[in-house]
């Protein structure tokens, strides 16, 4: 194992050409302890491990020799891993060198466009020794195979063979197109992902694996494609056949020609189906949690948080579009005495029953909430006091018709009282004002004998 004190020390540690070909591995990390941990895991495999303590030293090492694989830390001072990888890729000899990023981030935090920035894989800390050895060994084996071919051919041909071998065995789709954007090369992984053999792809447009719907959508999203675009990154869905559909990420870069135009494209095609599924599942989970956070757990109606959010939205519509709405506050009559007589479990049961009946009587556009305790609230969009009163009366009668026994009630059955108020665009009051008026109307309904509906007193604008 070499130290990071100087470039001479790095290169001088490699095996002479007369000995068994070595497998050079570059480990780049500003933390000496982390480098030691990585090299300790890889040392038993017999690879020639070169260390670099920052991005600049990594560039110097790459300029001096080729590597089977580069293990590159993401978080480094001055120049992070992604910036270092971008500069490594600018050197044509290392343009296809496999780079495995090592990061403490979670899988969810890694953007798929990082593959376009040079990654062939990610290893997430804490690093699993078995995983590290397995992944490095794949590229080490490829490197040894390429070295054996290079020894039997000219330097130019050997380099070409090495690159082709690496790309053919790469665990990610690799392709190249000509100046007309027709395929001139695809590797086996590309064929596995798209379902097209290399023979079927050569000479065909790069979008051969897309259906007509996606081609039309692509043309609308990139109307000026082919003019000044030199880099491209996009997700597609590969459909068709008996195999399940795949979500793939295509990232490519134009090959400049001597005239300054494009001689074609080189690119990667990565299967991100699992990641896309995880993202969709996480999105669904977030939506579900957000919905649960707006519900009252006892009745399943909206809670105070949902009410406030909906009122804010309703007020904005009133201000912008001149809409009006009514608010009704409901209170279960003599609920405390019901609890005292029948118990709290029975009290919870009738709250659920009242909520269910109010929901059954409500129309599609009405919004119901548990306001607190035995109080409920309903918003009636676009309703006047008269039409709103009819709707509330229907709800009141529906509750009475349940005939839930209540010994303390004058009717012998459970009843509700309600107060109704309206916000008209011609008035300058707020949702809080309407709630206060509805509460005052509810208070009058209770004072006047319960089991009745009272309207708020209209005030001039």
């Amino acid at each position: 194992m070499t130290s990071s004190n100087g470039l001479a020390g790095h290169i001088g540690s490699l095996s002479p050409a007369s000995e068994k070909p070595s497998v050079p591995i570059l480990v780049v990390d500003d933390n000496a302890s982390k480098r030691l941990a990585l090299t300790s895991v890889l040392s038993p495999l017999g690879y020639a491990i070169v260390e670099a303590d920052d991005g600049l030293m990594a560039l110097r090492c790459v300029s001096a020799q080729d590597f089977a694989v580069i293990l590159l830390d993401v978080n480094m001072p001055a120049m992070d891993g992604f910036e270092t990888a971008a500069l490594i890729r600018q050197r044509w000899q290392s343009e296809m060198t496999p780079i495995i990023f090592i990061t403490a981030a979670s899988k969810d935090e890694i953007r798929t466009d990082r593959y376009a920035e040079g990654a062939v894989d990610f290893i997430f800390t804490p690093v699993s020794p078995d995983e590290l050895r397995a992944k490095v060994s794949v590229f080490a084996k490829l490197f040894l195979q390429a070295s054996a071919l290079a020894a039997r051919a000219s330097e130019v041909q050997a380099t070409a063979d090495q690159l082709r071998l690496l790309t053919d065995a790469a665990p990610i789709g690799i392709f190249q197109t000509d100046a007309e954007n027709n395929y001139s090369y695809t590797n086996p992984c590309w064929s596995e992902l798209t379902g097209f053999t290399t023979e079927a792809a050569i000479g065909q447009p790069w979008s051969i694996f897309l259906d007509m719907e996606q081609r039309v959508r692509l043309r609308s999203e990139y109307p000026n494609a082919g003019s000044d675009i030199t880099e491209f990154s996009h997700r597609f869905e590969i459909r068709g056949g008996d195999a399940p559909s795949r979500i793939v990420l295509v990232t490519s870069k134009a090959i400049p020609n001597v005239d300054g135009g494009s001689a074609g494209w080189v690119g990667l095609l990565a299967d991100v189906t699992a990641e896309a599924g995880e993202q969709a599942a996480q999105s669904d989970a977030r939506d579900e949690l957000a919905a649960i956070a707006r519900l009252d757990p006892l009745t399943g109606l909206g809670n105070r948080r949902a009410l406030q959010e909906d009122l804010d939205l309703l007020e904005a519509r009133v201000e912008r579009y001149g809409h009006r709405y009514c608010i009704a506050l409901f209170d279960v009559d003599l609920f405390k005495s019901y609890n005292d007589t029948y118990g709290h479990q029975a009290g919870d049961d009738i709250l659920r029953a009242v909520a269910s009946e109010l929901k059954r009587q409500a129309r599609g556009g009405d919004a119901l909430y548990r306001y607190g305790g035995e109080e409920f609230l309903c918003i009636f969009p676009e309703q006047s006091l008269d039409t709103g009163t009819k709707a509330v009366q229907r709800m009141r009668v529906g509750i009475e018709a349940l005939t839930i026994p209540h010994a303390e009630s004058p009717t012998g059955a459970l009843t509700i009282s309600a107060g109704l108020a309206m916000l008209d665009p011609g008035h300058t009051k707020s949702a809080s004002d309407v709630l206060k008026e509805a509460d005052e109307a509810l208070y009058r309904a209770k004072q006047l004998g319960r089991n009745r509906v009272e309207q708020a007193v209209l005030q001039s604008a």
Side-chain angles (χ1 to χ4, degrees):
M1 184 175 64
T2 63
S3 68
S4 59
N5 293 329
L7 185 59
H10 289 284
I11 308 306
S13 67
L14 300 183
S15 302
S18 59
E19 298 179 7
K20 181 180 178 181
S22 63
V23 178
I25 309 294
L26 178 59
V27 177
V28 186
D29 198 310
D30 63 299
N31 187 305
S33 298
K34 292 181 181 179
R35 292 199 309 274
L36 176 61
L38 294 173
T39 55
S40 297
V41 171
L42 296 176
S43 291
L45 300 179
Y47 302 148
I49 301 173
V50 178
E51 298 180 30
D53 55 14
D54 59 20
L56 181 59
M57 178 61 73
L59 294 174
R60 293 175 62 192
C61 293
V62 170
S63 298
Q65 70 170 105
D66 295 327
F67 291 93
V69 62
I70 298 173
L71 302 177
L72 185 54
D73 182 43
V74 170
N75 293 317
M76 295 188 296
M79 184 166 58
D80 67 20
F82 298 125
E83 294 170 324
T84 303
L87 293 174
I88 289 174
R89 290 287 185 246
Q90 291 180 10
R91 177 178 177 267
W92 72 267
Q93 294 94 332
S94 57
E95 191 174 15
M96 300 302 295
T97 301
I99 297 177
I100 300 177
F101 285 114
I102 298 179
T103 177
S106 67
K107 292 183 179 180
D108 298 335
E109 295 174 315
I110 298 299
R111 306 197 314 266
T112 53
D113 59 3
R114 291 306 187 189
Y115 291 101
E117 298 179 15
V120 298
D121 207 347
F122 286 86
I123 294 180
F124 299 90
T125 57
V127 176
S128 165
D130 290 339
E131 178 186 6
L132 179 62
R133 283 190 290 262
K135 290 187 174 181
V136 170
S137 294
V138 169
F139 296 105
K141 181 179 179 181
L142 295 175
F143 184 85
L144 287 174
Q145 293 172 346
S147 298
L149 289 175
R152 296 191 301 267
S154 67
E155 182 178 353
V156 173
Q157 187 59 50
T159 302
D161 289 345
Q162 179 183 358
L163 291 174
R164 181 57 56 89
L165 181 62
L166 287 172
T167 55
D168 280 353
I172 192 170
I174 300 175
F175 63 87
Q176 182 174 345
T177 65
D178 57 24
E180 284 71 43
N181 220 1
N182 297 325
Y183 284 109
S184 58
Y185 168 76
T186 61
N187 74 339
C189 186
W190 182 95
S191 296
E192 179 184 347
L193 292 174
T194 63
F196 290 89
T197 64
T198 296
E199 292 75 14
I202 299 302
Q204 295 298 318
W206 79 270
S207 58
I208 184 176
F209 59 87
L210 300 180
D211 57 26
M212 185 57 67
E213 176 187 346
Q214 293 186 91
R215 294 182 194 183
V216 171
R217 187 165 64 247
L218 186 64
R219 283 195 292 269
S220 66
E221 293 178 3
Y222 297 91
N224 300 319
S227 56
D228 298 323
I229 296 178
T230 58
E231 295 184 1
F232 176 82
S233 180
H234 203 282
R235 285 192 183 195
F236 299 100
E237 183 176 1
I238 299 180
R239 312 173 183 135
D242 298 329
S245 63
R246 296 175 186 258
I247 305 298
V248 295
L249 174 68
V250 175
T251 56
S252 55
K253 186 174 182 179
I255 305 171
N257 59 22
V258 293
D259 299 327
S262 173
W265 293 72
V266 291
L268 305 176
L269 188 145
D271 187 348
V272 295
T273 306
E275 178 187 337
E278 290 175 1
Q279 290 175 347
Q282 290 169 3
S283 177
D284 291 343
R286 285 194 295 269
D287 292 344
E288 184 177 353
L289 287 173
I292 292 174
R294 286 170 49 89
L295 295 179
D296 171 59
L298 178 65
T299 63
L301 301 181
N303 57 19
R304 292 290 288 268
R305 173 181 176 178
L307 172 63
Q308 188 58 58
E309 291 174 353
D310 293 348
L311 282 177
D312 291 343
L313 181 61
L314 206 54
E315 277 198 295
R317 289 176 178 172
V318 170
E319 182 177 346
R320 183 170 183 179
Y321 302 109
H323 292 182
R324 66 180 179 183
Y325 62 89
C326 286
I327 289 180
L329 271 176
F330 300 89
D331 187 88
V332 178
D333 293 328
L334 301 170
F335 180 74
K336 183 179 183 303
S337 63
Y338 187 95
N339 262 349
D340 293 341
T341 302
Y342 301 100
H344 290 285
Q345 182 59 54
D348 287 347
D349 291 341
I350 67 161
L351 290 177
R352 282 190 285 266
V354 168
S356 178
E357 180 62 19
L358 291 176
K359 189 173 182 179
R360 191 179 73 84
Q361 295 289 348
R363 302 170 308 161
D366 301 337
L368 278 164
Y369 311 85
R370 185 183 180 192
Y371 194 61
E374 69 272 24
E375 288 188 323
F376 299 87
L377 183 147
C378 186
I379 297 175
F380 301 94
E382 300 299 336
Q383 296 298 306
S384 65
L385 279 175
D386 289 339
T387 58
T389 297
K390 292 178 182 179
V392 177
Q393 286 286 14
R394 185 176 67 250
M395 293 175 166
R396 182 195 63 77
V397 171
I399 297 300
E400 189 173 24
L402 294 176
T403 62
I404 299 173
H406 188 349
E408 300 297 323
S409 173
T411 66
L414 189 77
T415 61
I416 60 172
S417 299
L420 183 70
M422 181 183 71
L423 189 146
D424 191 288
H427 289 260
T428 58
K429 56 190 176 184
S430 65
S432 298
D433 298 327
V434 181
L435 279 171
K436 181 179 179 182
E437 291 176 0
D439 189 53
E440 291 171 350
L442 172 61
Y443 180 77
R444 285 200 307 276
K446 305 289 278 189
Q447 293 296 107
L448 292 174
R450 302 185 179 89
N451 192 24
R452 59 188 293 129
V453 178
E454 287 293 319
Q455 296 180 358
V457 178
L458 286 176
Q459 301 178 1
S460 59

